[in-house]
Structures are given as C-alpha cells and as structure tokens.
Amino acid sequence: MIETGSTAVVTGASSGIGEQFARQLAARGVNLVLIARNEVRLQSLTDQLKTAHRDLGVTVMTADLSVPTAAAELTEKLTATGVTVDMLVNNAGFGSHNLFVDEDPDNVAREIQLNCGSLVALTARLLPGMLARGRGGVLNVASTAAFQPIPTMAVYAASKAFVLSFTEALWGETRGSGVRVLALCPGATETRFFEVTGKEFMTHGRQTPELVAGVGLRAFDSGHGPSVVSGLANRMLANGYRFLPRGAMMRFARTNVRAARTQPA
C-alpha cells in the first residue's frame, strides 16, 4: 500500500484516469508530482487538490512525453528538487484509429514514444531508487487492447501489448523486493481518448475514470499482480480471446472498434 506522506508521480494527470489517480491518491494523503502537457488543466487540478487537502504537497511539471528526451529531463528536475519518488503511475498515452497505411508516420512515432518509450525510460530511472529503499511501486496503465491485435488500431494495441508484457516481466523480477509492480488494463473508459482519435466507437459500456483508477489502486494495495483488468465484462472478453483462432480474434476485434457511421445532416 502507498503510505500517507509518501510521493507519487502521475503522468497524463490533467484529465481522465490520470486525474482520478491524482484525486484518489491525494485523498490518502499522498504527495503528488503531476505531469502532463496542459499546464492550465494541471494548475486547476492542483488548486482543487490543495483546497481539499491543505497539507498536501503538489508539484506540477509540464512535459510532452512523446518527445524522446522528456523522461530524462523530468527525472533530472526531480533529482534537483530532492523529491523521493515512492510510486510511479505511468498513465500517459494516446491511440489512433485508422488503417496503418493512412497513418501519419510522425504521429505513429509519437504514439510509440509516449505509450512505450517514455514509460520505460521513467521506470528505468525511478525503479532503482525504490528497489534500494525496499519499498514503493510502479503502476503502468495498459489496456484490454493488449490482449489481441486490432486492425485499424494496430499501433495502439501493439504498444499496449508491450506495456503489459514489460510490466508483467518487471513484476517477476521484483518479487520479494518490497516494491510492487502492476499493469492496469481498462476497457473503454469515458476519457479524452476517443476525442483524440477523432472517431466515435465503443459507445456502450464505457467505465468511468474514477472506477478504473479505484480498481488499479485497490489491486496495487492488495499486492495483486502482475496485472488486473477493470470490470467483469472486460475480464471475460480479455480471457475469452485466448480460445479464439487468431484470424477470428482479429475479425472480432476489428468489429468491436468499428467507428460509428455518421448520420447525414
């Protein structure tokens, strides 16, 4: 369990699941380092948290983690401020929804860097200190997209499969160290994710960011590992893919994320 008075770094904290991680950790008395690109949203969240929890320490760091050098620059700033990081929540990420041949190659590179590269880089820089102290943990946000390839979301699904595999391997490496490692795999959630893709899909059964963050923190508290899927229906779907032939799995996955048809004006 993350203790009162400890410090958690949360990436992608300006909205959605990341914001809910920040709110729920703040309610536990956990000091925060909030990271996102949108300084206005981060500052607004900080003001709200400090009003609700007057003794809470909150540090805001704006950064674009789709830039390869961002993780190193952030950890240098953390070192300079003397902050000891007890928990890292790698939540920042985005997805695209197109045939791969129609994707902007530069956007694909940013997606991989944010979803995978910076997640690994931050973990690589902050995990050694946790292991040396024998406490703390890393919670990486993957997705139910990690459990199967998804045509029209090829890069996103592959990036989340990487996150899941990487995190589960770290869990195996850190067992018995006092450091907890967990991959949280949400299904469709009411966040800005769909706005960023520019497509409307998976409109039914979306979970709330509050629920998803709560599932992640409860699993982290319990030492559950190496991964947890939020929601019974999502767990059944994620496990069910194991029993489908690969071709049928991809056809089903593509149908599941098919963009809604727009109605003529």
Side-chain angles (χ1 to χ4, degrees), residues 101-134:
V101 294
D102 295 331
E103 293 276 22
D104 174 2
D106 291 334
N107 196 55
V108 167
R110 287 190 290 270
E111 187 174 355
I112 295 171
Q113 179 61 45
L114 178 60
N115 294 3
C116 303
S118 289
L119 178 147
V120 170
L122 283 172
T123 304
R125 287 167 170 80
L126 296 177
L127 180 59
M130 298 176 195
L131 290 170
R133 293 185 294 274

Side-chain angles (χ1 to χ4, degrees), residues 16 20 24 31-32 54-55 62 80 103 107 115 165 180 193 207 217 224 233 236-237 244:
Q20 282 301 320
Q24 293 181 33
N31 298 314
L32 298 168
R54 296 193 179 277
D55 295 329
T62 55
E103 293 276 22
N107 196 55
N115 294 3
S165 177
R180 296 182 177 184
F193 175 90
Q207 296 181 314
L217 290 178
H224 185 291
M236 291 175 64
L237 188 62
L244 288 176

Side-chain angles (χ1 to χ4, degrees), residues 13-263:
S14 61
S15 65
I17 298 170
E19 177 185 340
Q20 282 301 320
F21 272 123
R23 292 187 184 279
Q24 293 181 33
L25 287 167
R28 298 169 174 222
V30 176
N31 298 314
L32 298 168
V33 178
L34 304 180
I35 300 171
R37 292 185 304 171
N38 193 310
E39 185 174 7
V40 173
R41 283 201 189 106
L42 280 182
Q43 194 56 58
S44 174
L45 175 58
T46 297
D47 293 343
Q48 294 173 45
L49 293 176
K50 286 186 172 181
T51 298
H53 313 283
R54 296 193 179 277
D55 295 329
L56 190 71
V58 184
T59 302
V60 169
M61 292 187 176
T62 55
D64 183 354
L65 288 168
S66 69
V67 176
T69 57
E73 292 168 356
L74 280 171
T75 49
E76 286 176 6
K77 291 178 183 177
L78 286 169
T79 301
T81 58
V83 172
T84 297
V85 177
D86 301 292
M87 181 179 186
L88 171 62
V89 181
N90 278 310
N91 166 75
F94 78 92
S96 51
H97 191 299
N98 292 293
L99 294 174
F100 179 73
V101 294
D102 295 331
E103 293 276 22
D104 174 2
D106 291 334
N107 196 55
V108 167
R110 287 190 290 270
E111 187 174 355
I112 295 171
Q113 179 61 45
L114 178 60
N115 294 3
C116 303
S118 289
L119 178 147
V120 170
L122 283 172
T123 304
R125 287 167 170 80
L126 296 177
L127 180 59
M130 298 176 195
L131 290 170
R133 293 185 294 274
R135 58 183 171 82
V138 177
L139 194 162
N140 290 332
V141 178
S143 168
T144 52
F147 294 96
Q148 71 290 306
I150 304 179
T152 70
M153 299 188 74
V155 173
Y156 179 74
S159 73
K160 291 303 183 178
F162 174 91
V163 172
L164 179 60
S165 177
F166 170 71
T167 308
E168 291 187 333
L170 283 188
W171 177 83
E173 291 180 7
T174 56
R175 291 190 71 185
S177 68
V179 175
R180 296 182 177 184
V181 176
L182 177 73
L184 170 62
C185 301
T189 308
E190 284 291 354
T191 68
R192 295 183 64 248
F193 175 90
F194 297 95
E195 177 185 334
V196 171
T197 66
K199 304 286 178 62
E200 188 66 12
F201 58 99
M202 299 184 76
T203 56
H204 301 292
R206 292 182 187 176
Q207 296 181 314
T208 66
E210 181 178 9
L211 184 152
V212 171
V215 168
L217 290 178
R218 286 192 296 275
F220 185 87
D221 288 344
S222 69
H224 185 291
S227 59
V228 61
V229 178
S230 62
L232 177 60
N234 289 329
R235 287 195 296 274
M236 291 175 64
L237 188 62
N239 288 322
Y241 278 125
R242 294 183 300 165
F243 303 103
L244 288 176
R246 300 291 287 181
M249 176 199 301
M250 284 185 282
R251 287 193 294 274
F252 181 82
R254 181 170 188 168
T255 299
N256 198 37
V257 301
R258 184 171 292 161
R261 294 181 182 274
T262 55
Q263 297 298 320

